[in-house]
Amino acid sequence: MAGAAATPAPGVPAAPSLLGPEAVSDRYGFYRTLRESHPLVWDDRLGAWLVSRYGDVAAALGDPGLVRPRRRGPCCWPGEVWCEGPRREVDDEAFGVLREVSERTAFVLARRLAQREVADLAEEFCHWLPVGTAATALGLSYAELARGSRSGGRRAGPAASLAVLCADRSALIGKALASLLANLLDRPDEWAAVRDTPGALTAAWRESLRRNPPVHVVLRRARGDIRIADGTVPAGAAVALLVGAAGRDPERFAAPDRFDPRRTAPAQLAFGPPDCPAARVAELQAECAARALCEAMPELRWAEGFRPTETGLLTRAPRTLLVRPS
């Protein structure tokens, strides 16, 4: 289908679909098939062109010829509101304040779980860390935050805009944290490195975003006819940029299915450039989470017989992380 300029005619053999059984049963195998045989293909069930190779996805994310759909949703690139166009300057004081709140929130959550025989880190830690950080920084209750309150809190301060960002991205940050912990707990040597080696967490975090991003599909619409992956997408067509497939492209990454924090250039696409405020807030949450868990649960390990499983269509992460804290 690469090079086609219109939706395939009726009767043409069905192309791979993101909504088909192959994608549901083996998402990364489905991505492999797309990269190798269908780098640009029309997905009739989804109603969008699929783009799967790293170079094509990375270029398309910054292409002004591809615009966000009018209706925003979880499919939008998490960093796009902050990272497209001129960057908003956020001073170190604001990040310092948010760091203090994040650290305190992480330690409270970790200590509450530390004496449990079995705990679910996805639901009881990863979900609540960004939510709790945002609520505390804004001086709001969890209920007020859940209702969408972003003003009227008791605190305005330098970290208020970052706290709002944390609240707006809380679901995606929680999913990214869950995938990070799944990758680390699957590999005790990497968990030990994060615990004992300064700077190891940053590398593990960025590698996890490459290998298991919280957002797998970014939807765009073509403003005019546009060339992608040696093909042409017609004006007005929907385009699904498969971030989850791009992160495992062997043309860009050696042994792409392996979790390897020692990669020299992980080049993740999940949260935008490293200096984007959205990316910095998410990484801050990861640092605070790892530090709190290492201190409160030095012998943290999987619950007996448990294996994490990713779920989701546009966004993906393990829904459950059953662990033995002590």
Side-chain angles (χ1 to χ4, degrees):
M1 292 302 300
T7 304
V12 172
S17 173
L18 192 63
L19 302 179
E22 298 87 355
V24 173
S25 62
D26 182 6
R27 176 65 71 91
Y28 294 105
F30 172 75
Y31 286 159
R32 188 180 309 113
T33 297
L34 290 182
R35 288 192 307 265
E36 293 174 354
S37 305
H38 307 279
L40 177 68
V41 66
W42 173 256
D43 185 333
D44 193 55
R45 294 179 64 180
L46 186 65
W49 292 87
L50 305 181
V51 182
S52 52
R53 291 178 178 171
Y54 181 90
D56 299 324
V57 172
L61 283 170
D63 192 327
L66 293 170
V67 296
R68 295 194 304 270
R70 291 182 180 180
R71 183 177 181 180
R72 292 186 58 206
C75 53
C76 294
W77 195 31
E80 65 192 358
V81 174
W82 288 72
C83 297
E84 288 182 352
R87 299 285 170 81
R88 299 185 184 183
E89 294 295 329
V90 181
D91 60 33
D92 291 339
E93 180 186 0
F95 270 98
V97 173
L98 192 70
R99 179 180 294 278
E100 291 178 4
V101 177
S102 297
E103 288 177 344
R104 187 162 59 249
T105 304
F107 278 112
V108 168
L109 291 171
R111 285 167 181 158
R112 286 178 179 175
L113 300 177
Q115 302 306 315
R116 298 264 296 275
E117 183 175 349
V118 175
D120 180 358
L121 290 185
E123 179 62 30
E124 299 175 280
F125 185 85
C126 298
H127 167 74
W128 285 108
L129 177 55
V131 173
T133 296
T136 302
L138 292 170
L140 298 170
S141 68
Y142 292 150
E144 289 171 324
L145 197 69
R147 288 197 299 269
S149 299
R150 296 294 186 272
S151 61
R154 294 183 294 279
R155 302 174 186 175
S161 63
L162 292 178
V164 170
L165 178 60
C166 189
D168 289 342
R169 300 287 187 265
S170 61
L172 296 177
I173 293 173
K175 288 177 181 292
L177 291 175
S179 292
L180 171 68
L181 293 177
N183 279 319
L184 290 174
L185 289 173
D186 267 349
R187 301 159 183 84
D189 56 331
E190 301 295 353
W191 182 241
V194 165
R195 185 183 61 223
D196 302 331
T197 307
L201 186 279
T202 297
W205 167 248
R206 294 176 183 176
E207 170 69 351
S208 185
L209 290 179
R210 175 201 68 80
R211 184 178 186 269
N212 303 94
V215 174
H216 274 234
V217 183
V218 175
L219 293 183
R220 291 289 189 265
R221 189 166 297 279
R223 298 175 64 178
D225 289 359
I226 188 168
R227 294 286 294 175
I228 302 177
D230 296 326
T232 301
V233 171
V239 180
L241 305 176
L242 305 183
V243 173
R248 303 236 186 161
D249 188 342
E251 294 297 316
R252 178 62 179 80
F253 307 103
D257 294 330
R258 187 176 69 222
F259 179 74
D260 181 8
R262 279 157 288 282
R263 293 181 191 275
T264 55
Q268 61 82 21
L269 300 172
F271 274 101
D275 61 341
C276 168
R280 291 181 63 188
V281 166
E283 187 168 318
L284 170 63
Q285 294 276 284
E287 292 172 2
C288 294
R291 187 177 300 113
L293 291 173
C294 286
E295 181 170 315
M297 310 175 192
E299 303 301 323
L300 182 66
R301 61 193 184 280
W302 290 128
E304 185 175 355
F306 176 78
R307 293 293 308 147
T309 303
E310 275 189 357
T311 60
L313 176 63
L314 302 179
T315 63
R316 287 178 69 83
R319 288 188 178 180
T320 304
L321 296 176
L322 295 183
V323 298
R324 294 182 64 86
S326 62

